[in-house]
Amino acid sequence: MKQFNHVNAASFEEAGRMLKDSKGAAQAMAGGSDLLGVYKDGILKTYPETVINLKKIPGFDVLEAQEDCLKIGAGCRLNRIAEEQAVKEACPALAEAAYSVASPLIRSIGTIGGNICQDVRCWYYRYPDSVGKALDCKRKGGKTCYAINGENRYHSVFGGMDCHGSPCARSCPAGTDVPGYMERLREGDWDGAARIILRYNPMPMMTSRICPHLCQDDCNQCTYGDSVNVHGVERSLGDYILEHAEEYYTAPEKESGRKAAIIGAGPGGLAAAYYLRKAGHRVVVYDRMEKAGGVLRYGIPHYRLPKDIVDAYVDALAHMGVEFRLGVCVGKDITVEEIQQESDSLYMGTGAWKQPVLGLEGENLTQFGLNFLVEVNTYLEKSMGSQVLVCGGGNVAMDVALTASRLGAEEVKLVCLEQEHEMPAASEEIARAKEEGVKLYNGWGLGRIVTDGSGKVTGLEAKKCLSVFNGEHRFSPVYDEEDRMVMDADTIILATGQRVDLSFLGERFGEQLQSARGLIDADTESFKTKKEGIYAGGDAVTGPDIAIRAIQAGRVAAAGMNRDLGGSEEDGPACGGVPCGSEEGSRSRCSGAGTGSNPFLHFDPKSVGTGISNKLQELPLEERSLVKEDAASFDRGTAMAEAGRCMNCGCYAVSPSDISPVLVMAEAEIVTTERTLSAEELLTRELTVQDILNPGELIKEIRVPRLKGRMHYDKKRVRDAIDFAIVSLASCLDVTDDVIQGVRLVYGGVAPVPYRMTHVEEFLKGRTITEEVAEAAAELAVRDARPMGKNEYKLFMMKDLMRNAILRARSGD
């Protein structure tokens, strides 16, 4: 045990202030058992610098029977609660629960406040030595709940609760609730899945085809085999949404009377247009090209993203009422000032389309990769030589190389600074290029363009690249200037990056909005610029990046614009712009989990053990072309099967408190240093009490009303004297002549929080107690259970406790 400072608090409020000011360096001590976990070696990594003693606070351990309730101080010890006649008379179930907690030694130091504030309990907390001592499980901020694919005999039979977000959602720049829509698909609810994904990304039919799917890199299934094929599932869901566009892209029910303008019809602009129009605003989109889509239309080959999909999405927005003014060059045909004057809010997402100047000798004899793709995507043809050399290592370079190959080039080579494992291009795109005969030359930089003297390109002189990044992983290539080679080529295409062109801003807006980096100066969290009412996002703010980040910027900016325009939060994008994968955004999942008909997270215990993912079916090499899509989407059955592999990462442990189920059953009130909460609000809404309480907020007092009826707390455990509940049931039945007038039933040990059986209560009210009624209620209690594999035995315990609780209330029993 490490040395610590000890402070006696004069009041709960003073203790709360000290805890808040310590910023996590202090720990409150109410009894003694609450410090056991803090100082237990090998379980927790952090130790408090100061222990704040609450035991000297006046009223700390009060236990007083009042006319309408029991008033119990948070520091009242469990042995006193178990023995006091006043408790046995007012709420006998509470006395039974206090007595059942553990050994007399633990009860003599444990407090009621400490008991209800306990962390969740599972095998990996009980026996850490069996799995290598301390574990960074999901509850402790790690990536996974080990029970999903491991020991789960003591875990929840009703599902889990989210904590710390999910790895896939955190990795997705848009924060998409991937586990949320996967769960809907497992249940066959395609409409529910569609509505979830559209809250974060209005064009999944496109991102699923072009995104580098960062979500899959962090998928917890990677520990056991292949990641979940998220982009494959998303693709089928996106296709479903587009097939039913009239249901998901509908005009708003009411108009706000406000107008939003968008400059740039690329992924960010089209995302902002969707959310703003959905919120009821008039939306006008300006773009210099003849068709909307930006890079989606002009920068990505047909074989990766068919243009009829882009057209269908744009048509869907137009059906919503979005106005497109295409072929309009902002800065020439109309100024930014004019657009701003005509609008109430403005978003700029113009992308990165300008060729960077490398200063390469003979650079004027090369082609710009993005221009090359635009021309091919527009006309599906392009004249070029037989020997093509592509310079660059990203996805654009891969697209250029494959397009050149499919146009009929005899030889396509690709040269880049990075070694293959360092290349920014997606691994499958690299593999596809190699499969189609593109020759990779890794670790070479650009020296000069070689000509035959008449200005005709004959090759590239390349120089050896020794390293690409410095010690801080910043781009800082180092070359061996003496190690050079000439690569033959008659066509050289530079795909080494793009630049942002802000000339459209004009002089006044250019001075106000342009940063020293040549980008639009906007806050990268809200995407607000310094100019009131103007937002910007995507490549114009960050420099060249992937489409999903532009979509996220458009969504977040739309949320801010919607607020500025007086729109409601309900009409705006998901979480008001907060990604669901973030700590804040994750709180939206499973709110109010302790009531209702199984609102917890679920997974398929059989399917999560499948280590091999379903793969998209690709065209044979000889059938691939410029216009036909390379891969086919999953059918719905395959998509649902792959969704079954999703682990729905959350915490599947159970609440260890014996007192909490009783307080929820008894409709108790919890008084803190800041407010009064019902037990249901405090103990069932989030995974732990700490997730509800504010920093420094302490529980002061518990008020237990006098309820009418027979109350009991029944508990199944491994060892009668000292163990936590495997399954417990807090019950109150108000019975007259064997007819149930009122009933409250709350289980413990079966879910991450106490679980109130409201549907069983509704079934029992007004019924006469019989063996058949008790049996039916027992079956109803486990109706929504989702055992994990090794904990199915808990269902038998649940039914046994329920039957006994009901029959015990019958006269004569």
Side-chain angles (χ1 to χ4, degrees), residues 480-794:
D480 181 351
E481 298 288 348
E482 301 301 319
D483 189 353
R484 293 177 177 250
M485 72 170 178
V486 174
M487 305 173 68
D488 294 336
D490 53 26
T491 301
I492 297 178
I493 305 175
L494 300 181
T496 54
Q498 300 89 244
R499 288 181 57 198
V500 172
D501 183 0
L502 299 183
S503 60
F504 74 93
L505 289 174
E507 185 176 344
R508 184 166 70 89
F509 275 99
E511 290 177 358
Q512 293 175 340
L513 299 179
Q514 187 167 331
S515 70
R517 295 176 57 208
L519 304 171
I520 296 178
D521 189 6
D523 178 75
T524 52
E525 292 187 3
S526 67
F527 298 97
K528 285 184 176 181
T529 69
K530 297 175 183 178
K531 186 76 173 172
E532 188 69 27
I534 297 181
Y535 290 72
D539 296 353
V541 171
T542 63
D545 209 334
I546 55 179
I548 190 64
R549 287 203 174 92
I551 290 169
Q552 187 260 354
R555 189 193 84 211
V556 174
M561 295 168 73
N562 179 51
R563 287 190 293 269
D564 294 348
L565 296 172
S568 66
E569 293 291 334
E570 291 77 14
D571 294 330
C575 309
V578 178
C580 186
S582 69
E583 187 69 24
E584 182 181 352
S586 69
R587 295 286 169 83
S588 65
R589 299 183 72 203
C590 293
S591 179
T595 60
S597 185
N598 199 352
F600 299 98
L601 306 180
H602 308 109
F603 64 91
D604 182 349
K606 295 180 180 178
S607 297
V608 294
T610 304
I612 300 174
S613 66
N614 290 280
K615 308 295 193 300
L616 295 176
Q617 185 175 355
E618 297 194 348
L619 288 174
L621 187 61
E622 63 275 9
E623 294 182 18
R624 296 176 192 172
S625 69
L626 282 176
V627 293
K628 190 183 296 184
E629 192 171 10
D630 282 354
S633 299
F634 290 146
D635 58 46
R636 291 188 191 174
T638 304
M640 291 166 65
E642 186 61 21
R645 297 185 62 243
C646 172
M647 298 165 72
N648 209 353
C649 300
C651 176
Y652 289 81
V654 296
S655 168
S657 172
D658 288 287
I659 302 298
S660 294
V662 175
L663 296 183
V664 174
M665 177 275 294
E667 302 180 63
E669 287 186 337
I670 315 294
V671 181
T672 77
T673 49
E674 299 181 12
R675 51 188 165 157
T676 298
L677 298 163
S678 71
E680 204 161 274
E681 289 173 320
L682 180 68
L683 302 173
T684 72
R685 294 295 190 256
E686 297 288 353
L687 186 61
T688 66
V689 170
Q690 286 74 23
D691 291 331
I692 293 286
L693 298 177
N694 298 318
E697 185 178 10
L698 293 171
I699 295 173
K700 295 170 55 175
E701 179 181 298
I702 297 160
R703 298 171 185 164
V704 184
R706 297 177 182 272
L707 296 183
K708 184 180 179 183
R710 296 181 62 176
M711 285 182 278
H712 288 284
Y713 179 71
D714 300 300
K715 178 177 179 178
K716 299 281 189 180
R717 52 186 163 180
V718 176
R719 296 166 291 184
D720 287 343
I722 60 174
D723 241 331
F724 291 91
I726 302 299
V727 177
S728 66
L729 178 63
S731 61
C732 178
L733 284 90
D734 179 18
V735 178
T736 302
D737 297 331
D738 288 347
V739 177
I740 300 173
Q741 308 297 326
V743 58
R744 288 179 68 88
L745 303 162
V746 180
Y747 277 110
V750 299
V753 293
Y755 192 17
R756 184 179 170 194
M757 295 278 112
T758 53
H759 58 298
V760 180
E761 294 171 2
E762 292 169 2
F763 166 77
L764 288 172
K765 286 178 185 176
R767 293 185 184 270
T768 300
I769 298 176
T770 63
E771 295 278 352
E772 291 76 17
V773 166
E775 182 63 34
E779 292 296 333
L780 192 58
V782 300
R783 179 193 66 186
D784 299 319
R786 307 277 186 92
M788 299 175 70
K790 299 178 182 177
N791 62 358
E792 192 169 359
Y793 70 94
K794 284 194 176 190

Side-chain angles (χ1 to χ4, degrees), residues 34 55 111 118-119 170 178 217 292 334 391 438 477 588 594 600 620 708 712 769 772 794:
D34 49 356
K55 292 184 286 186
T111 64
Q118 290 181 86
D119 204 349
R170 287 201 304 265
V178 176
D217 295 338
I334 188 172
C391 306
V438 176
S588 65
F600 299 98
K708 184 180 179 183
H712 288 284
I769 298 176
E772 291 76 17
K794 284 194 176 190

Side-chain angles (χ1 to χ4, degrees), residues 265 287-294 297-298 307 310-311 314 324 326-327:
D287 198 279
R288 65 183 177 87
M289 305 299 279
E290 294 303 315
K291 291 188 176 183
R297 167 168 291 285
Y298 294 103
K307 302 315 163 195
V310 182
D311 289 338
V314 173
F324 289 94
L326 303 172

Side-chain angles (χ1 to χ4, degrees), residues 439-458:
K439 298 177 182 178
L440 269 57
Y441 292 82
N442 296 100
W444 292 92
L446 311 184
R448 66 183 181 89
I449 305 300
V450 180
T451 65
D452 63 0
S454 66
K456 182 180 178 181
V457 172
T458 60

Side-chain angles (χ1 to χ4, degrees), residues 68 78 111 117 125 152 190 204 228 261 275-276 290 308 431 433 523 540 584 599 701 705 743 776 779 808:
D68 60 341
L78 296 172
T111 64
C117 289
Y125 273 56
N152 52 44
W190 285 74
V228 175
Y275 291 114
L276 287 165
E290 294 303 315
D308 58 350
D523 178 75
E584 182 181 352
E701 179 181 298
V743 58
E779 292 296 333
R808 182 172 52 202

